[in-house]
Amino acid sequence: MARVFLDANVFLYAVGGEGPHRQPCRDLLQAVGDGGLEAVTNTEVLQEILHVRARRLGIKDAVVAVRAASDLVREVLPVRRDDVLEACKLLERHHGLGARDALHAAVMKNGSLHLLVSVDGDFAVLKEIKCLSPTDALGLTRQAGR
């Protein structure tokens, strides 16, 4: 079974308002919950969900969203010193990459993960990571079921 890292935007779009990414993100999270895909994330993703949801909808909503995301994935990877230092290296090499994206990529690299699910195209500059849309990631669950 494929092991994928879920970016914060997958969770945020799934619980957010109507839009083109909402249903594919919901479908993907449903597949993760059903055991069709092994998903992990990191503490920074949970922090980002907490921050965005608290700012937009309040603490109560943010807490519920973070707990749901944490319960859904198989593992929440820590962000360690080595990850932050690796993120710095990535930022020096890839000037268009954002700091949070670099941190996620560093956690993935240090955790030997190569598949990322995100609606963010900024990860395309990284050769060691394959970025999948939620719809493409759903295809992995169908392939595993064959």
Side-chain angles (χ1 to χ4, degrees):
M1 180 182 304
R3 188 171 187 227
V4 299
F5 182 96
L6 298 181
D7 192 11
N9 59 41
V10 173
F11 297 105
L12 292 169
Y13 278 118
V15 297
E18 289 298 324
H21 300 298
R22 183 179 188 194
Q23 197 56 52
C25 289
R26 285 182 170 200
D27 292 344
L28 176 66
L29 294 181
Q30 181 67 50
V32 169
D34 291 344
L37 196 60
E38 183 181 338
V40 302
T41 197
N42 66 25
T43 54
E44 177 63 18
V45 165
L46 296 183
Q47 184 280 330
E48 189 173 348
I49 295 167
L50 186 66
H51 173 76
V52 169
R53 297 300 288 186
R55 188 184 68 219
R56 292 182 183 168
L57 297 167
I59 296 296
K60 192 177 228 181
D61 176 88
V63 167
V64 169
V66 167
R67 286 183 176 145
S70 179
D71 289 344
L72 184 66
V73 295
R74 179 182 292 297
E75 185 177 8
V76 176
L77 302 169
V79 175
R80 299 191 168 144
R81 178 181 182 266
D82 290 346
D83 300 320
V84 175
L85 295 175
E86 180 63 30
C88 291
K89 291 178 190 175
L90 290 171
L91 288 169
E92 289 171 336
R93 287 195 312 261
H94 304 286
H95 299 288
L97 192 62
R100 284 184 190 216
D101 292 347
L103 190 58
H104 299 327
V107 169
M108 289 180 65
K109 180 180 178 187
N110 291 337
S112 299
L113 293 163
H114 305 285
L115 296 175
L116 168 82
V117 183
S118 180
V119 298
D120 183 352
D122 292 344
F123 290 99
V125 301
L126 302 172
K127 304 298 182 223
E128 58 272 277
I129 290 176
K130 181 174 182 178
C131 189
L132 303 170
S133 71
T135 302
D136 290 341
L138 271 172
L140 295 175
T141 66
R142 292 185 196 105
Q143 290 172 2
R146 288 184 189 168

